[in-house]
Amino acid sequence: MDAYEWQEAAARWTVTGVARHDGGAAPPVIARAQGPVIHDTQGRRYLDFGAIPTGAVLGHNHPRYVTAVRQGLQVIGSDVFLDGDALRLHRRLGEILAPPLQKSILAPRGEATRLAAGIAQAVTGATGLMAVCPAPDGVLRFFHPAAAIQAQAPIVPIAPNTPIAPMAPLARPAGEAARACPDPAQCVCGKSPGERPCPWVAFDTALQACKRKPAGLLMAPFAGGAFGGGYGCARLLRRLCHQHGMLLVVDESATGYGRTGRMWGHQHDDIVPDILITSASFGAGLSIDAVCVPPDIAEQAASSRVPLHEAPYGALDLGWHDPVACAAAVTAIDIVQDEDLVARAAAIGEHLKLRLGAMALDKRLIGAVYGRGTLFTMELTAGGNPGISARALARTFTCACRDEGLLLPAPAIDAAGGVIHLAPPMVTTITQLDEGLDIVDQVLREMNDSVGAATGSGQDALQPGQHQLAQ
């Protein structure tokens, strides 16, 4: 089929057809892929810097990974028998987790959050998970599963997994900003540059807004891979959780397996969660979620009066496993360790920091750059010009990069501002990294000149960008 036939088939046989919400052209059809390189059916070559999330760790079609999948397809899986690949995955997870995390439960894609909530409920006797996600500016935004709590902001998901219920930001009561920190000596509010809301006050305010005490706090990272608004914030929230009889649940679906330059993203924040959610999705579309806990929490959950599979969040088969996905995940973890990809991710992060930081100094379209490892975010800004939308800039940027051979995640329709994610696979070479960054630089230069000509040099002219890079 040629490009026209592909588009005609999509238009005729699918619900969405090839309509693009961003106004861009229809996406290409993949013919073959290897590592970070993708070829389409028209013979064009692309670098994948995160547009296809399944390639985020190992890239596409790693030979060892493909062999493991083929071998896994020859095995008949059944919950009636113990599965060797599933047991190996449990063991490999236990070996790479930070102590005391050791035991794990496997779950289908999207079910891990519900399972983690059930474990927290079984251990604490409370119900539901309050959630928090730090913004790049360090401000903590808390969420609550009760849809009855109204807020001006739209309902947004705060984790890659399916949320327990629609989550809306907790409304900030009037006068919260004026509340004093309960204990400045034990808090981090005065230890970070700039004036930021006190995280202790924000936690207490969010907890007071809950009709019932939550069983735990679900913490998701922002795009830069950090779990707190500045160093020490995540550790403070963990301490506050324990003071209130709650468990800290950390979602590492996007940050695990070395992508931040450490095996787990929470290690940058010097914490160990009570419950860890992780997802293994490594380049062939296969995925399996896992919920990891210490032995004592596993024992409390197993002996609870409310069995996990009967928790109010829905029935789950705790013996479930996908043999092929288990075999693929075990092999992927082995590859990460055997090829020292965690160290390579750290080196990629240093290279991205230097090059994107240099671009931010002379490209006025860049408002901020932050990240670590292979997870970086660049925010585009139109400055003080009300006639230019940052979101439109982001859409234009990703389309232009694709035309030049670089695939980036398309900006979400409900995304705030001009947020651009760059997430090259951990197997990307420095040569390939520079090739992709040269395209980013070229497109930014062309857009910078175009926007600059439109805005002129008066008061509405864009100012040089400032960058914020993780240390």
Side-chain angles (χ1 to χ4, degrees):
M1 296 176 70
D2 59 24
Y4 175 79
E5 290 173 323
W6 283 115
Q7 295 180 29
E8 183 182 43
R12 182 174 182 181
W13 303 113
T14 70
V15 174
T16 58
V18 293
R20 301 287 291 170
H21 294 292
D22 58 9
V29 179
I30 296 176
R32 65 185 189 279
Q34 185 71 50
V37 179
I38 295 176
H39 295 265
D40 69 11
T41 54
Q42 301 303 302
R44 288 205 61 191
R45 174 183 176 278
Y46 304 86
L47 284 174
D48 179 12
F49 276 22
I52 304 176
T54 54
V57 176
L58 302 180
H60 303 286
N61 296 313
H62 191 290
R64 288 177 60 183
Y65 182 90
V66 173
T67 299
V69 171
R70 286 174 176 169
Q71 293 176 347
L73 290 172
Q74 301 173 8
V75 178
I76 299 176
S78 172
D79 295 344
V80 177
F81 296 89
L82 290 175
D83 182 79
D85 288 315
L87 291 174
R88 279 188 285 272
L89 178 55
H90 284 294
R91 184 187 69 185
R92 297 297 284 120
L93 285 171
E95 291 171 345
I96 65 175
L97 289 168
L101 296 172
Q102 179 180 336
K103 293 180 176 289
S104 55
I105 300 175
L106 303 180
R109 176 73 172 170
E111 297 291 346
T113 303
R114 292 200 300 142
L115 184 54
I119 293 175
Q121 172 178 324
V123 172
T124 66
T127 303
L129 294 178
M130 187 168 70
V132 61
C133 184
D137 58 5
V139 176
L140 298 179
R141 291 179 172 83
F142 287 87
F143 298 76
H144 190 271
I149 297 179
Q150 300 297 321
Q152 295 180 353
I155 293 175
V156 294
I158 52 90
N161 293 1
T162 304
I164 302 169
M167 294 186 179
L170 288 168
R172 175 177 294 180
E176 176 189 336
R179 289 180 54 190
C181 175
D183 188 351
Q186 299 294 323
C187 190
V188 296
C189 57
K191 301 177 183 178
S192 56
E195 294 185 2
R196 296 178 180 175
C198 173
W200 195 326
V201 171
F203 178 89
D204 284 347
T205 303
L207 196 60
Q208 291 172 13
C210 299
K211 294 182 179 179
R212 292 181 294 180
K213 187 185 76 174
L217 177 68
L218 175 63
M219 182 178 290
F222 68 85
F227 284 90
Y231 183 76
C233 184
R235 194 162 63 250
L236 169 67
L237 292 179
R238 184 179 189 275
R239 178 163 57 84
L240 293 176
C241 282
H242 291 179
Q243 288 178 359
H244 289 274
M246 299 165 56
L247 299 184
L248 178 64
V249 183
V250 168
D251 191 334
E252 291 263 16
S253 297
T255 51
Y257 307 106
R259 294 187 64 190
T260 66
R262 304 282 298 270
M263 182 60 76
W264 303 103
H266 66 262
Q267 293 174 324
H268 292 281
D269 294 287
D270 194 25
I271 61 168
V272 177
D274 300 304
I275 302 176
L276 174 72
I277 295 173
T278 184
S279 175
S281 184
F282 293 103
L286 296 174
S287 181
I288 188 169
D289 289 355
V291 179
C292 309
V293 297
D296 60 332
I297 290 182
E299 183 177 350
Q300 293 178 60
S303 60
S304 170
R305 291 184 178 180
V306 181
L308 296 181
H309 65 278
E310 296 179 4
Y313 299 102
L316 290 173
D317 181 1
L318 300 185
W320 177 91
H321 63 273
D322 181 334
V324 179
C326 288
V330 169
T331 302
I333 293 173
D334 290 342
I335 294 171
V336 167
Q337 293 192 310
D338 295 345
E339 298 186 7
D340 202 15
L341 294 186
V342 179
R344 185 185 294 189
I348 289 174
E350 291 300 314
H351 197 74
L352 286 170
K353 182 188 297 186
L354 289 174
R355 288 215 53 185
L356 292 175
M359 293 181 203
L361 290 175
D362 67 352
K363 303 293 190 305
R364 53 192 169 187
L365 287 181
I366 301 180
V369 174
Y370 46 88
R372 51 167 61 111
T374 62
L375 298 175
F376 267 73
T377 294
M378 179 173 62
E379 292 186 6
L380 302 185
T381 176
N385 192 315
I388 300 178
S389 165
R391 191 174 303 172
L393 285 176
R395 290 197 298 266
T396 300
F397 175 81
T398 53
C399 289
C401 284
R402 187 180 70 184
D403 291 342
E404 296 297 328
L406 177 65
L407 300 179
L408 297 173
I413 297 176
D414 59 350
V419 176
I420 301 293
H421 301 307
L422 295 95
M426 296 165 62
V427 297
T428 306
T429 65
I430 296 299
T431 300
Q432 292 168 333
L433 195 63
D434 279 332
E435 179 185 349
L437 291 173
D438 287 343
I439 294 175
V440 171
D441 193 27
Q442 172 190 336
V443 171
L444 280 173
R445 189 183 307 113
E446 294 172 354
M447 291 179 59
N448 205 72
D449 294 342
S450 176
V451 174
T455 58
S457 58
Q459 292 182 345
D460 289 336
L462 302 180
Q463 300 300 317
Q466 296 179 345
H467 62 283
Q468 303 171 357
L469 295 170
Q471 298 300 318

